[in-house]
Amino acid sequence: MISAPDEQATGKGSARATAQRKRILCAARKCFVDRGFHAASMATIAQTAEMSPGLIYRYFRSKNEIILAIIDEQLEVARARIGELSDAGELAALIAASFDSTSRGDEERLSAPLFLEMSAEATRDPQIASALRSFDATIRGELARALARSREEGGYGVPNARAMGRALMFMCIFEGLKVREAREPHLDRKLLESALNDVLVNLFRPQ
Amino acid sequence: MISAPDEQATGKGSARATAQRKRILCAARKCFVDRGFHAASMATIAQTAEMSPGLIYRYFRSKNEIILAIIDEQLEVARARIGELSDAGELAALIAASFDSTSRGDEERLSAPLFLEMSAEATRDPQIASALRSFDATIRGELARALARSREEGGYGVPNARAMGRALMFMCIFEGLKVREAREPHLDRKLLESALNDVLVNLFRPQ
Amino acid sequence: MISAPDEQATGKGSARATAQRKRILCAARKCFVDRGFHAASMATIAQTAEMSPGLIYRYFRSKNEIILAIIDEQLEVARARIGELSDAGELAALIAASFDSTSRGDEERLSAPLFLEMSAEATRDPQIASALRSFDATIRGELARALARSREEGGYGVPNARAMGRALMFMCIFEGLKVREAREPHLDRKLLESALNDVLVNLFRPQ
Amino acid sequence: MISAPDEQATGKGSARATAQRKRILCAARKCFVDRGFHAASMATIAQTAEMSPGLIYRYFRSKNEIILAIIDEQLEVARARIGELSDAGELAALIAASFDSTSRGDEERLSAPLFLEMSAEATRDPQIASALRSFDATIRGELARALARSREEGGYGVPNARAMGRALMFMCIFEGLKVREAREPHLDRKLLESALNDVLVNLFRPQ
DNA sequence: CATGAATGAGGATTCATTCAT
DNA sequence: GATGAATGAATCCTCATTCAT
């Protein structure tokens, strides 16, 4: 978690407050996707959220706090998604599906533009960097464990020595595909799926 | 190429002008890496280049033109690097080496932060988007051809049907690694190399 | 009308907003009179209006929009004034009076410096040029009709063939006097009045 | 004369220097007509004059000095032109002809845009204001004398009491027409000529 | 709670002018 | 004499943030 809840100063914890925060974050997400963290102005976010700019500051201390909250949210979504993937067997098909923007609502997918925005921002902001590192650690550990688990236990039986490396490669492919999604959203699905199978079959084949 | 040379209006073509442009681009690259395209101010770039802000405009029409020039430069570097990789046999080792920021000077490597910055920007700027697409087309075509070439001709003998898909996967891994480099520059090299070998051996093994 | 009201984007239509716009226009008018459209800076206008520079942009999209609004205002004032003149009989006396800067407040007179500024600007800006042309057409048409009307109907009974020409001459004299006012604001009123009578008596005498 | 010759510091008096000054003034005139005093940059003027910006400063101390020189030149041209007019008998036809931009070269006509630019500038710059006043005094005196001269001496025999007033009106019409020329350069010549005759016949008819 | 007007620092860009060559 | 690179102040405009109502 990047942004401390700090209900004292902002959230109030009431249902109302939660709803307002969600409203703002939803608007912010849209604006950030459309224009990037920097180019999206608080005024635009307010307008999108159909509230006054001043009101936003009742729920978030600054624009940066909103950015951090959005990053948290996106990482959470990604965590959930990759958790699902690693549990299921059909990894290639599922990853390919995660590429498809029509398969889920905006709030349930790691947005490709936001992923790039976040990653770029992490280069400069240590707080964001650390959030991403923690995300990484969680996911890679989880993946490595899944890979290392024996076939009898529903795992892939990959030797421990290789599991960490393959988890790393999985992340690279997952994130490389996010980059690609941002750049080439209409990439041929057939090509993608067969390519993924071609590679992942090796990465994840029970050994 | 995004930015036409257009010596008419800016560069003057003189040795001096070329040196100044290089100076500016070098300063801009530093600033963009440190702060991002948007947060880097012309004043900062000028200061880094040790010249007055006004002077920059003798060599570039706008900040955006500088951004485009930097993107051109980075894509050119990436093209050259991937060209080398695809010619050589030791793909995994080379890719891993390309991760190593100490192996080459700043100007001879695709900067990871800039790569993210560029990719994010391409989401909104059609000119950048098109430059990236053209980069993609070139590289993927080249890779696919190298993969499809018969072993006798120094290729990998991958069936045509699979070559395109593997080229795509190669790009995902390459770019996924750039993302990782930005996030985790001190990633364990041993782990990385062995993981790459593990995957690429399958992707590029002569068949 | 040059500048559409466009309350959507700027004015808000509230009483407050109207007052602020007026405040800004009033300050801008002063600054433009003192220094010209180009030399008057937004900072100066803001200072004159006793507000921050940024606030101006809540009410006007750009400096140019302010210029256009001022031009609109000035043309409107001129139209009203010439309307009065053409209705009354004592044209010479009235024109001379319109020269007198003490007879009316700043907002009810076509400012001589602004008239020059506007006219000069119209040379380059097609929007302003067209506003001036429309002003011309209105006024000259109105004058020509007044001149052509029969004496029984309160007109001057000037033959149609001559009415257009005399309306043109009237405009030349009116505008020539604006030039003079800018240059020689303390011109001898007696001289002016008798000179105007001498000429206009011929232009407008009922025939 | 606004701008003191001051050969010491600038002109050098040599034929070369004179030619260079003329070159610069000619370029400046073009630029000022096209873009106005303020918007015309020294760089553009230099380019138009086909010389380097720095060189201009060998012949003029500042941009303002160029503006003043141009104003001098324009007033000189106007003086000459009105001198001709007042000597000839066919005043109306001649004034109308002076409207016609094709009748003379650019350097021999008072440019309408420059006239507006000058007049506007005179509002703020006392030096320019005084130059215009001196111009006025000369011209109006000359005109008044011509009008007052007896018919036997080639004059118009206008009583002294009226001569000053008519000279004033003549100036208004002349300058009013300059304003019109800037605004409506393609004004119907027939209309203009007949209108001028209609008025001037009264102003200048020998009495 | 909510508004939206207000602030003012900061950003990109231009341009008259200078000066080393 | 001549060049044109270099300067840096000044300009327009934007936007995160605050606060009176």
Side-chain angles (χ1 to χ4, degrees), chain A residues 4-26:
Chain A
D6 197 350
E7 299 184 352
Q8 204 73 8
T10 49
K12 304 310 185 316
S14 78
R16 165 95 192 179
T18 308
Q20 292 282 57
R21 282 180 65 94
K22 192 182 281 186
R23 218 170 141 74
I24 293 166
L25 287 179
C26 193

Side-chain angles (χ1 to χ4, degrees), chain C residues 38 42 48 52 54 57 59 63 74-76 85 94 100 107 113 118 130 133 137 143 162 174 176 184 187 195 202 204:
Chain C
H38 293 301
M42 290 302 274
T48 307
S52 67
Y57 289 85
Y59 302 101
K63 184 181 178 181
Q74 293 291 311
L75 290 183
E76 206 40 66
L85 295 180
L94 280 167
D100 188 357
E107 311 186 18
M118 281 160 51
S130 125
R133 259 196 299 278
L143 280 171
R162 293 192 153 173
F174 178 80
E184 205 177 357
L187 176 68
N202 289 311
F204 291 95

Side-chain angles (χ1 to χ4, degrees), chain B residues 157-198:
Chain B
V158 174
N160 261 314
R162 293 193 154 176
M164 279 302 294
R166 293 200 174 172
L168 176 62
M169 280 299 104
F170 180 88
M171 286 300 280
C172 286
I173 293 174
F174 177 80
E175 292 176 348
L177 274 171
K178 275 295 159 197
V179 175
R180 189 131 304 265
E181 182 185 341
R183 190 184 301 168
E184 205 177 356
H186 302 304
L187 176 67
D188 181 325
R189 290 313 133 89
K190 289 269 183 285
L191 177 64
L192 175 58
E193 266 180 62
S194 75
L196 274 169
N197 264 313
D198 202 15

Side-chain angles (χ1 to χ4, degrees), chain C residues 16 20 52 54 58-59:
Chain C
R16 171 81 189 206
Q20 291 285 57
S52 67
R58 174 172 290 276
Y59 302 101

Side-chain angles (χ1 to χ4, degrees), chain C residues 30-65:
Chain C
K30 270 187 207 130
C31 294
F32 290 157
V33 166
D34 284 356
R35 327 213 25 184
F37 289 152
H38 293 301
S41 77
M42 290 302 274
T44 312
I45 294 173
Q47 212 165 9
T48 307
E50 290 174 301
M51 56 175 71
S52 67
L55 188 51
I56 294 183
Y57 289 85
R58 174 172 290 276
Y59 302 101
F60 294 91
R61 261 196 285 275
S62 66
K63 184 181 178 181
N64 202 52
E65 196 169 288

Side-chain angles (χ1 to χ4, degrees), chain B residues 16 20 52 54 58-59:
Chain B
R16 171 87 192 198
Q20 291 283 59
S52 67
R58 175 173 288 276
Y59 301 101

